[in-house]
Amino acid sequence: MNIEVLTLFPEIIDNYSNTSIIKRAKENGIVNIQAVNFRDFSDSKHHSVDDAPFGGGAGMVLSPQPIASALKKLNYNQKKVVYLTPKGKTFNQKMANELSVGKDLILICGHYEGLDQRIIDNYVDLEISIGDYVLSGGEIGALVIIDAVTRLLPGALAESSLDEESFSNCLLEYPQYTRPRVFKDYEVPEILLSGNHQKIEEYRLMESIRLTLQNRPDLIQKGIRNKVFDERILKLIKEIKNRLL
Ligand code: ADE
């Protein structure tokens, strides 16, 4: 997959995409990430990229010309154009899954008061927010998408790492432990050392449910609403809920 990022700060994208799993995925030809500074496409004398808003108001608005020219150069018609903005749809695992099997991506990072609406109306396919808070630019959001999507691409991770992840089944992932068996005074739950796979599976499921009830009751509600849980899980949810009360 090719991911191109339109930004005024390409170094943010380059730095991150040269680390860890993203770096490995790039080296293995699984993903190609290119940061493009849209200031280079500005036709104005001083390479300006923004201007005051029509109608007045605070801040500056990103001008349409540099971004439209950059998009044209990148053949945006053949790609999915995503604009990072707090006004977008909230990003989640389902969107990451969908993007990972779709077209090549162009991610536009806004700054200041955002992008001229005509770019959004005529060039952008999808507006994405990474959460209900306002950041100073779209780069962090672009990195969130790059990370969440890249790790889903075939070959980026061992396939089994994706099997039991948080969110895929409306439950958070169970807690993990590694050596040593006793750290300071803290012991690994006995059952994980038992070698009894059925008991371990049961224990992990209970822990997933307990953690989700505690930290993300909204996910449990969603799972119930969408009939994601089977009878066994529904019964356990009831039991654990009563125990937590
Ligand atoms: N740019 C500024 N805030 C943002 C947010 N919450 N999500 C995506 N892009 C943004």
Side-chain angles (χ1 to χ4, degrees), residues 17-64:
S17 57
N18 282 322
T19 57
S20 188
I21 285 174
I22 312 292
K23 181 180 182 196
R24 193 151 25 99
K26 270 172 59 177
E27 288 168 354
N28 292 337
I30 291 164
V31 71
N32 180 29
I33 294 163
Q34 183 94 43
V36 175
N37 191 334
F38 57 84
R39 191 180 293 283
D40 297 342
F41 291 82
S42 172
D43 286 342
S44 78
K45 209 162 100 198
H46 299 291
H47 294 287
S48 99
V49 290
D50 58 358
D51 212 329
F54 276 122
M60 301 288 269
V61 177
L62 288 171
S63 311

Side-chain angles (χ1 to χ4, degrees), residues 44 52 117 151 223 231:
S44 78
Q117 186 64 32
R151 60 193 293 290
E231 282 306 315

Side-chain angles (χ1 to χ4, degrees), residues 18-230:
N18 282 322
T19 57
S20 188
I21 285 174
I22 312 292
K23 181 180 182 196
R24 193 151 25 99
K26 270 172 59 177
E27 288 168 354
N28 292 337
I30 291 164
V31 71
N32 180 29
I33 294 163
Q34 183 94 43
V36 175
N37 191 334
F38 57 84
R39 191 180 293 283
D40 297 342
F41 291 82
S42 172
D43 286 342
S44 78
K45 209 162 100 198
H46 299 291
H47 294 287
S48 99
V49 290
D50 58 358
D51 212 329
F54 276 122
M60 301 288 269
V61 177
L62 288 171
S63 311
Q65 180 276 315
I67 297 196
S69 298
L71 285 171
K72 183 154 181 249
K73 178 79 192 299
L74 299 179
N75 294 321
Y76 74 94
N77 272 325
Q78 297 158 28
K79 301 172 183 173
K80 183 145 193 137
V81 179
V82 176
Y83 172 45
L84 279 303
T85 166
K87 296 193 271 188
K89 290 189 180 149
T90 310
F91 191 57
N92 59 26
Q93 190 61 44
K94 181 161 171 263
M95 287 159 90
N97 294 343
E98 285 164 5
L99 292 179
S100 76
V101 294
K103 290 196 238 180
D104 286 343
L105 296 173
I106 298 178
L107 308 178
I108 305 176
C109 304
H111 263 267
Y112 318 115
E113 291 306 305
L115 204 50
D116 187 292
Q117 186 64 32
R118 290 166 292 183
I119 293 290
I120 299 170
D121 293 343
N122 298 294
Y123 294 79
V124 168
D125 298 308
L126 178 63
E127 294 172 85
I128 291 183
S129 163
I130 58 161
D132 287 345
Y133 36 78
V134 180
L135 301 166
S136 53
E139 284 74 14
I140 295 173
L143 292 175
V144 167
I145 294 179
I146 289 171
D147 195 296
V149 168
T150 298
R151 60 193 293 290
L152 295 173
L153 298 174
L157 293 183
E159 297 291 318
S160 59
S161 306
L162 299 172
D163 286 354
E164 298 200 11
E165 281 196 331
S166 298
F167 305 116
S168 50
N169 53 2
C170 285
L171 291 176
L172 300 178
E173 200 189 351
Y174 51 77
Q176 299 277 17
Y177 299 85
T178 187
R179 274 186 278 271
R181 192 170 163 165
V182 182
F183 169 67
K184 297 181 189 284
D185 278 347
Y186 313 126
E187 291 189 22
V188 168
E190 193 70 39
I191 188 112
L192 296 178
L193 313 170
S194 69
N196 184 332
H197 293 295
Q198 193 190 329
K199 285 260 183 287
I200 290 173
E201 193 268 334
E202 270 167 28
Y203 165 81
R204 286 178 162 168
L205 179 58
M206 301 272 278
E207 284 301 294
S208 275
I209 294 172
R210 187 188 55 73
L211 190 67
T212 315
L213 279 167
Q214 232 162 43
N215 290 352
R216 292 294 305 277
D218 59 302
L219 273 185
I220 298 276
Q221 288 314 316
K222 184 175 161 203
I224 293 173
R225 235 183 6 257
N226 296 343
K227 304 197 187 324
V228 169
F229 303 134
D230 59 23

